[in-house]
Amino acid sequence: MPTDAEFDLIVSIGVIHHIPAPNPIVQLRCERPGGRMIVWLYGEEGSGLIVQSIRALRAVTTRLPHVMVAAIASLLTLALDVYIFGCRYV
């Protein structure tokens, strides 16, 4: 890993827990002011509702025209934005 690297954003989605020795990765820092590191870890337990919801959505969206999938994605993005906004003030 280069020591002189600078990152604005580091994102890890479901990866860190698969790395045998994750410390060098977790110790990476976003050197630029305002930089962020986002790590999402998940486990099989407790995620049944999420998995079922995604499978159902996928079963429908794979049969829809792209314009409809884009509209659904926009609605889900809006819902996520509202959720994130709410989390900041709870």
Side-chain angles (χ1 to χ4, degrees):
M1 193 57 61
T3 57
D4 59 348
E6 291 185 357
F7 303 99
D8 292 318
L9 176 66
I10 299 171
V11 178
S12 169
I13 300 175
V15 174
I16 295 291
H17 61 282
H18 293 287
I19 299 173
N23 285 347
I25 303 301
V26 175
Q27 291 173 358
L28 282 175
R29 280 189 254 129
C30 297
E31 299 295 336
R32 295 188 182 152
R36 303 171 100 184
M37 180 175 198
I38 300 169
V39 177
W40 176 34
L41 301 175
Y42 61 87
E44 188 174 334
E45 63 284 343
S47 61
L49 180 61
I50 294 169
V51 171
Q52 288 174 352
S53 299
I54 290 172
R55 284 185 182 156
L57 187 61
R58 184 170 182 250
V60 172
T61 57
T62 56
R63 293 170 174 79
L64 294 176
H66 177 75
V67 68
M68 291 181 76
V69 175
I72 291 170
S74 294
L75 289 173
L76 291 174
T77 300
L78 178 62
L80 181 60
D81 289 342
V82 169
Y83 175 78
I84 291 169
F85 179 80
C87 287
R88 291 182 181 159
Y89 299 101
V90 174

